[in-house]
Amino acid sequence: MRSLLILSGVSPEAAAKGLRHIDCRPIAGAAILDAVTGDRLDSKPAKGVRVTRVGWAPRARAEQVRALAKCGVRHHRAIEAIALASKVSRSGAVAEVCRSDDPAYLAGYVASKKIGYVRLTPVKEKGDARGGRVVFVKRREARAVISFLAERPVVVDRPGSVGA
Ligand code: PML
Ligand code: MG
């Protein structure tokens, strides 16, 4: 995950801070971090930013389901995570890292415009409820990214792309 974040343009220091965040008890939303310093930029440390108002266009969803099935991935969490990562990517964020907080679901991913959605499994051991989501941004864009993530309705109309 660290290498993929650095490949995506996140500094080693910020990547380390982000990975520490998803190695803890999860918060409801995403933590927004400065992609250079790793400073936390959202205003609610105990909550983070909920990435909401994102869904699949039905045909695109069906295509994505087929593409995942070809790789042996059959889980609604993967489909929902790809929609969410598509919205995060369109927000202008530098990169995102996520590790499921479900103790029975062992996958995670790193996503960015540079590398796409890179799914990794297992990223933890069964029974481990630590996890979460971190979005790395350019500091001067933090406010715009946060309002896009929380408020802007987005429809994913092609696998890997977003039509807002
Ligand atoms: C996947 O690609 O399978 C999704 C991994 C992250 C899931 C996050 C969650 O819903 O807990
Ligand atoms: Mg969860």
Side-chain angles (χ1 to χ4, degrees):
M1 284 179 148
R2 182 176 184 276
S3 308
L4 291 168
L5 286 171
I6 292 169
L7 206 57
S8 299
V10 175
S11 76
E13 187 187 356
K17 286 187 184 167
L19 292 175
R20 275 205 292 280
H21 178 83
I22 60 168
D23 207 21
C24 295
R25 205 153 58 86
I27 59 174
I32 311 296
L33 301 195
D34 184 319
V36 177
T37 62
D39 291 344
R40 184 83 184 263
L41 300 177
D42 57 297
S43 57
K44 294 184 184 151
K47 268 181 146 179
V49 173
R50 286 300 280 265
V51 184
T52 55
R53 307 183 120 196
V54 54
W56 282 100
R59 189 179 294 185
R61 187 179 201 283
E63 252 181 75
Q64 186 71 71
V65 167
R66 277 198 298 277
L68 284 171
K70 273 194 197 151
C71 311
V73 180
R74 289 183 183 74
H75 204 289
H76 69 93
R77 279 186 188 276
I79 294 289
E80 299 319 321
I82 291 168
L84 204 138
S86 300
K87 180 171 178 181
V88 171
S89 168
R90 179 53 72 96
S91 73
V94 174
E96 178 194 358
V97 64
C98 170
R99 186 165 91 144
S100 181
D101 56 6
D102 180 336
Y105 197 73
L106 310 182
Y109 65 86
V110 178
S112 70
K113 284 221 183 327
K114 278 208 184 123
I115 63 166
Y117 182 96
V118 180
R119 182 172 196 267
L120 300 154
T121 191
V123 289
K124 62 180 190 179
E125 288 181 12
K126 214 169 181 170
D128 186 345
R130 291 173 300 173
R133 176 169 273 118
V134 175
V135 175
F136 298 89
V137 301
K138 293 188 179 126
R139 185 180 283 256
R140 65 175 181 281
E141 294 174 4
R143 195 185 295 221
V145 170
I146 289 169
S147 72
F148 185 98
L149 294 178
E151 288 157 28
R152 177 84 172 268
V154 165
V155 174
V156 184
D157 61 3
R158 275 180 288 156
S161 81
V162 181

